[in-house]
Amino acid sequence: MLILIVLLPLLGFFSGTLFGRYIGWGTCYLTTGSVLTSLLLSIYVLHDVVSTGVTYKLTMGSWIVADSLHIDWSFCFDSLTSIMLIVVTFISTLVHLYSTEYMEYDPHLPRFMSYLSLFTFFMLILITANNFLQMFVGWEGVGLASYLLINFWFTRIQANKAAIKAMLVNRVGDFSLLLAIFAIYFVFNSLDYDTVFSLTPLMLDHKILIGSIEIPAIDMICILLFLGAMGKSAQLGLHTWLPDAMEGPTPVSALIHAATMVTAGVFLLARCSHLFEYSSTALNLVIFIGSATAFFASTTGLFQNDMKRVIAYSTCSQLGYMVFACGLSSYEVGVFHLSNHAFFKALLFLGAGSVIHAVADEQDMRKMGGLRKLLPFTYSIMLIGSLALMGFPFLTGFYSKDTILEVAYAKYTVWGHFSYYLGTFAAFFTAFYSIRLLFLVFLAEPNGHRTVILNAHEGSWRMTFPLFILSILSISVGFLTRDLFIGFGTDFWGSAIFVLPQNYVMSDIEFVDLFHKLLPLIISLTGASLAYFIYAFGLDFFYSIKKTYSFKVIYNFLNRKWYFDRVYNEFIGQNALNISYHFSYKDVDRGLIEKVGPSGIVQSIRYIVNRINGLQSGQIYHYLFLLLFSTVLFVFVSICFSNILVSLNVILFLLFVMFLI
């Protein structure tokens, strides 16, 4: 039964790929039904794990056997896996159902549904793997499926660029993860989770020699693992692919950015907690990158005008919260925020899709407005999702986001307070752009084409039902699961997550003073109030500030994403292309290789032939002179060197005469 959870989405993929053109709409039923069945089985597994605390290991057989390397194709169903199963299959089921209407008139609907199922299958492989190599298969498969989904509308040049960009940026992280797997096998002589994690305390003094430098093996492995997680979870430096991935259909955005691909990095950090706990260097790096990502993405989303890009940057920011929570050794809080975030972020993306679907595929918020009365249901669910994203009290996002910031302050270290204050400022900007999105889309005066605005309407039940379910969960799931996930003394996680006693700070958050407990909430409400005041009453004052030089500098800096894309394109990418063109292509390929190789040989032969052709003047007396000269030379050589060279001279003479004739 357990294996069916993984295999059913693969069955849906093959049904759509092989028989999609024959069964047509039936592909939607097969793919959605297969993922729904996986969800029901996942619920049963979660109930079993919660009630009994048992970890299930399922071995299908040997996969790779080479010398000391022995890898089985096996699956692990523990508490961490069971939570991820629920999140992935639940969001995937709703996205499948939502897509049946959103993509209803697309002629390639069966192919799209197949890609969604393939994506789900590889994500399930990733989270259920019982060794690093099998996990890497799912990791790469998710990257492949994301490329296919982002580039689904492949006739669009921007979709092509976004898909290639996502693939290339993720290759950086994937290469680091592959190096980490090599290092793990080199140190532990195994890739099995249980073996590696149990041997970690014994390998603390082990060093890896790189040149003449000795590096602690655990530090190196953890840093490489984190670099791999940075690519998938779009952390600062490897984040540039995430906003551009919005070129894909909106259900793709909900699937990739809510519960699946982008959370793979956070899952990897939680899964490898047994390694990270013994590397303070790696943990400090995780805190720094995560908190910097949360702050960066929140500021970048302030002045974006594309509706989906604003939500994408909010995803990037929330991933920063999850990552630095793991860096604070509060992996359970990071996973708690991961599961909460999946519901309200899927709600926001699918709600944005409902708006875009209603206004003839328009995504620019400046061309919307006045949709509150035309799309009242969508407005309600977008309001719920935005408030949950802001961390409004008693909604899902509040319980996890607030806990992360409390843990950061309770750490009482430089890095802990660094992440606390950056996270608090990020909460201010998050609230600001969330209210800005709501106002421009729903509350402002209509600013789009009259026909489009008047024809806007809600979708059918296939679009509204997933939104309704997600809105209920965005309100309640945080409250319902907090005691199970992060309650004091809970034993839900068991051995899935490991924390050293000196790194455990969950018991200290109760002693954080009231001011620092309430500060993130106060800052968030301040940002929301400021945004509402500016866009509701103070636009004239805002426009006067907008005209100043200082504001233009700040606006351009934030709107152009801190110039990361420009630096990558103009300074790194363009210079790399120039070096490749001038050195590799012109100097080496068209230069040295051509001169030494085919071009040089052709030119040499042509030169020799031209010189020899010059000997054939067409004058008979020239040929008689050469014949006489050759005869004299032949007689002279024969006399001088007797019999040794006679035969050789005769042959050469005959060849020369034949050539002249």
Side-chain angles (χ1 to χ4, degrees):
M1 184 191 70
L2 295 176
I3 193 63
L4 290 178
I5 299 175
V6 180
L7 293 182
L8 282 173
L10 183 63
L11 177 64
F13 164 71
F14 281 124
S15 67
T17 303
L18 301 177
F19 309 108
R21 66 174 60 190
Y22 305 108
I23 61 179
W25 183 261
T27 305
C28 300
Y29 295 108
L30 289 173
T31 54
T32 306
S34 62
V35 178
L36 177 60
T37 307
S38 291
L39 170 61
L40 297 176
L41 294 175
S42 300
I43 294 173
Y44 175 79
V45 171
L46 177 63
H47 175 267
D48 210 16
V49 170
V50 171
S51 59
T52 64
V54 177
T55 297
Y56 296 99
K57 301 290 181 67
L58 180 63
T59 301
M60 304 300 296
S62 296
W63 180 23
I64 299 175
V65 179
D67 198 20
S68 62
L69 178 63
H70 184 91
I71 299 177
D72 295 327
W73 192 265
S74 61
F75 301 90
C76 173
F77 296 87
D78 58 4
S79 54
L80 180 60
T81 299
S82 63
I83 292 298
M84 292 297 297
L85 284 175
I86 294 293
V87 171
V88 172
T89 55
F90 185 83
I91 300 298
S92 183
T93 301
L94 296 181
V95 168
H96 275 73
L97 179 60
Y98 184 92
S99 301
T100 58
E101 181 174 349
Y102 189 90
M103 304 290 292
E104 185 176 8
Y105 299 106
D106 194 292
H108 304 291
L109 176 61
R111 178 164 61 88
F112 181 77
M113 301 300 292
S114 301
Y115 288 169
L116 290 179
S117 295
L118 181 66
F119 188 96
T120 306
F121 166 72
F122 279 121
M123 192 65 198
L124 294 177
I125 289 289
L126 192 157
I127 62 180
T128 58
N130 196 35
N131 58 74
F132 284 97
L133 192 60
Q134 186 176 332
M135 181 272 295
F136 188 74
V137 173
W139 190 276
E140 289 297 296
V142 166
L144 171 64
S146 67
Y147 174 85
L148 296 174
L149 288 169
I150 296 171
N151 200 32
F152 178 74
W153 288 323
F154 54 83
T155 55
R156 300 182 180 181
I157 186 65
Q158 292 301 324
N160 298 155
K161 292 180 179 179
I164 293 173
K165 188 176 184 178
M167 180 68 74
L168 291 177
V169 173
N170 276 278
R171 291 289 74 73
V172 178
D174 296 350
F175 180 69
S176 297
L177 179 58
L178 191 60
L179 290 178
I181 294 174
F182 288 152
I184 289 172
Y185 180 71
F186 176 76
V187 174
F188 297 95
N189 202 33
S190 175
L191 294 178
D192 184 72
Y193 285 155
D194 294 335
T195 304
V196 173
F197 296 157
S198 61
L199 293 176
T200 300
L202 305 177
M203 297 295 179
L204 300 182
D205 296 328
H206 193 87
K207 308 287 186 181
I208 294 180
L209 186 64
I210 301 178
S212 58
I213 303 175
E214 287 188 345
I215 302 175
I218 302 299
D219 288 348
M220 182 176 177
I221 291 171
C222 290
I223 291 173
L224 289 174
L225 286 172
F226 177 59
L227 291 176
M230 284 177 60
K232 279 289 187 287
S233 293
Q235 296 301 288
L236 190 65
L238 298 178
H239 69 279
T240 54
W241 68 271
L242 188 66
D244 291 345
M246 297 297 105
E247 294 296 332
T250 299
V252 174
S253 303
L255 189 62
I256 291 178
H257 301 93
T260 50
M261 181 176 175
V262 294
T263 59
V266 180
F267 169 79
L268 178 63
L269 296 179
R271 175 61 76 194
C272 297
S273 59
H274 300 74
L275 290 169
F276 279 91
E277 283 299 290
Y278 294 100
S279 177
S280 58
T281 303
L283 288 177
N284 291 335
L285 179 63
V286 173
I287 295 173
F288 173 75
I289 296 295
S291 53
T293 302
F295 179 78
F296 156 78
S298 63
T299 59
T300 307
L302 285 174
F303 301 116
Q304 299 296 317
N305 297 313
D306 188 302
M307 189 179 183
K308 289 171 64 177
R309 283 183 179 267
V310 173
I311 305 175
Y313 277 110
S314 72
T315 300
C316 191
S317 180
Q318 299 305 305
L319 287 168
Y321 282 98
M322 303 174 203
V323 168
F324 80 71
C326 294
L328 295 166
S329 296
S330 297
Y331 307 94
E332 68 277 18
V333 182
V335 176
F336 182 39
H337 192 52
L338 183 156
S339 62
N340 291 345
H341 170 265
F343 299 114
F344 63 75
K345 187 51 56 72
L347 178 65
L348 285 173
F349 270 116
L350 295 183
S354 181
V355 173
I356 295 168
H357 189 69
V359 295
D361 297 330
E362 179 60 64
Q363 296 184 196
D364 194 333
M365 297 186 297
R366 297 169 297 182
K367 299 179 182 179
M368 301 181 187
L371 297 178
R372 178 175 60 88
K373 295 181 179 179
L374 300 173
L375 305 173
F377 177 76
T378 303
Y379 170 66
S380 301
I381 62 99
M382 289 292 290
L383 178 62
I384 293 172
S386 298
L387 292 177
L389 174 65
M390 293 163 48
F392 194 80
F394 311 115
L395 295 183
T396 291
F398 168 77
Y399 295 100
S400 53
K401 188 175 180 180
D402 190 68
T403 304
I404 289 175
L405 294 175
E406 289 182 13
V407 166
Y409 190 83
K411 194 73 172 177
Y412 295 109
T413 62
V414 173
W415 289 113
H417 287 179
F418 174 80
S419 61
Y420 172 81
Y421 287 110
L422 278 188
T424 301
F425 289 130
F428 173 85
F429 297 124
T430 300
F432 187 96
Y433 65 64
S434 297
I435 298 300
R436 175 177 178 264
L437 183 148
L438 289 172
F439 194 91
L440 291 179
V441 175
F442 297 100
L443 303 177
E445 292 295 324
N447 200 33
H449 196 278
R450 178 181 176 86
T451 305
V452 173
I453 297 295
L454 292 179
N455 290 331
H457 62 278
E458 300 282 5
S460 69
W461 72 271
R462 286 175 289 160
M463 290 182 67
T464 56
F465 179 73
L467 295 175
F468 174 75
I469 297 297
L470 288 170
S471 63
I472 297 298
L473 293 175
S474 297
I475 296 172
S476 60
V477 74
F479 174 78
L480 296 175
T481 60
R482 61 173 184 169
D483 291 333
L484 178 66
F485 284 2
I486 60 173
F488 187 76
T490 180
D491 57 351
F492 170 73
W493 299 107
S495 61
I497 292 177
F498 172 76
V499 181
L500 289 174
Q502 60 266 30
N503 292 338
Y504 186 76
V505 294
M506 284 297 298
S507 57
D508 297 333
I509 63 174
E510 300 297 330
F511 303 99
V512 176
D513 59 278
L514 185 62
F515 173 76
H516 287 97
K517 279 181 175 286
L518 296 178
L519 182 61
L521 176 61
I522 296 171
I523 292 293
S524 181
L525 294 177
T526 303
S529 303
L530 179 62
Y532 184 79
F533 175 79
I534 289 176
Y535 287 95
F537 308 106
L539 279 179
D540 294 336
F541 175 72
F542 178 69
Y543 286 140
S544 62
I545 297 176
K546 201 172 179 180
K547 294 178 181 179
T548 62
Y549 176 77
S550 300
F551 186 86
K552 288 181 180 178
V553 173
I554 297 174
Y555 178 85
N556 289 332
F557 180 73
L558 298 179
N559 192 52
R560 296 182 182 181
K561 315 161 200 173
W562 288 32
Y563 296 105
F564 268 99
D565 284 308
R566 185 174 180 180
V567 170
Y568 286 165
N569 293 335
E570 295 184 10
F571 293 96
I572 299 177
Q574 193 60 49
N575 288 329
L577 290 175
N578 289 337
I579 293 173
S580 299
Y581 177 75
H582 291 288
F583 178 73
S584 299
Y585 177 68
K586 296 190 69 176
D587 295 338
V588 178
D589 188 25
R590 296 296 300 272
L592 180 63
I593 294 176
E594 286 289 335
K595 290 180 180 179
V596 177
S599 180
I601 294 173
V602 170
Q603 291 179 4
S604 300
I605 293 174
R606 185 181 293 119
Y607 175 78
I608 295 172
V609 170
N610 290 334
R611 299 288 293 189
I612 294 175
N613 287 339
L615 298 175
Q616 301 196 23
S617 63
Q619 303 293 327
I620 295 178
Y621 64 88
H622 287 168
Y623 299 148
L624 291 175
F625 173 76
L626 290 173
L627 183 60
L628 180 60
F629 177 79
S630 302
T631 304
V632 174
L633 181 64
F634 170 73
V635 173
F636 175 77
V637 172
S638 300
I639 294 173
C640 294
F641 296 93
S642 112
N643 298 323
I644 301 175
L645 299 177
V646 170
S647 59
L648 180 61
N649 288 326
V650 171
I651 294 172
L652 291 175
F653 172 76
L654 293 175
L655 290 175
F656 186 74
V657 172
M658 291 174 60
F659 178 78
L660 292 178
I661 296 175

